[in-house]
Amino acid sequence: MDFLRPTTWAEALTAKAERPDALPLQGGTDVMVELNFDVRRPAALLDLTGVAELAAWELVEGAYRIGAGVPYARIIDELGGELPGLAQAARTVGSPQIRNRGTVGGNLGAASPAGDSHPPLLAAGATVEVASAAGTRMIPASEFYLGVKRSALRPDELIRAVWIRPAAGPQYFSKVGTRNAMVIAVCSFALALHPAERRVGTGIGSAAPTPRRALEAEEFLAAELDWEARLDPGVLRRFGELAAADASPIDDVRGTAGYRTHALAVLARRTLTWAWNDYRKARAA
């Protein structure tokens, strides 16, 4: 196995162009597990941890551009107020050691349906910046996931950054696991209120071949939610039902499809209730 370690973004793109079979390594929290258990044996590893620009974030024209190498711990500490949904999800990732190494960029690269960062990225309408020696592409998060651990990345492309606008309203992330920490999600759900647009964004995790939005549930709320009144119990119940119906779960070692369906309905109702209470409090203040 060859080991490639560029120190600049230009070197990284050149290396990937020359060796499209090289597996990118960012935080390594997924890749190293697969290597240690001989799940995969790539021809080459492309270690991106030496590319300094990937470990930086900036505010550009009203959106946060988060480099692919920014670890979860920094998102929590430095962007928790501006990106609460993503920060909440980051807090549920592994242990402190994992949060200090793992990155949203690495999570996107793995494209696991159970990745914790995916639902809040979908709910917030994030965009993934990818690049190759031929140029740069901007891929909406809703179009990034193509299948189980498959993404829209081309063989010669690398993830450079994630673009996400500051929260326009309350955001929440919640997941169910077999224990409280250090666990892969049985299922997860993210919600973001967009009051100015009178809509709600959603994200479902670990309950379909890919992370996905609950589109029918979103459309229902856009039509039925009264932003000037209390949250109607009937609307809340139906939102949970539609969110669960938008999933496509399976039975596996972590849980059954039936349990995931039930849990998603509960998570959808709870996250909407929490977000709506915050929204009403902010309006009353």
Side-chain angles (χ1 to χ4, degrees), residues 120-181:
L121 293 178
L122 289 167
T127 301
V128 185
E129 179 184 345
V130 305
S132 69
T136 299
R137 290 197 299 147
M138 304 295 285
I139 307 174
S142 58
E143 300 174 13
F144 185 79
Y145 313 103
L146 301 184
V148 178
K149 296 190 175 184
R150 292 194 301 110
S151 73
L153 275 177
R154 296 168 183 162
D156 63 340
E157 287 181 325
L158 296 170
I159 297 170
R160 190 175 192 179
V162 175
W163 292 71
I164 182 169
R165 292 197 169 274
Q171 298 181 351
Y172 277 93
F173 171 83
S174 188
K175 80 176 183 181
V176 173
T178 53
R179 57 185 183 182
N180 287 334

Side-chain angles (χ1 to χ4, degrees), residues 74-98:
R74 287 184 54 203
I75 289 175
I76 296 167
D77 294 340
E78 300 170 19
L79 294 170
E82 295 80 3
L83 307 175
L86 185 59
Q88 288 172 21
R91 291 188 186 97
T92 74
V93 174
S95 63
Q97 295 91 334
I98 296 297

Side-chain angles (χ1 to χ4, degrees), residues 46-71:
L46 179 58
D47 182 8
L48 299 174
T49 57
V51 181
E53 79 159 72
L54 296 180
W57 62 265
E58 58 183 332
L59 185 62
V60 181
E61 298 180 354
Y64 285 98
R65 181 180 181 274
I66 305 170
V70 176

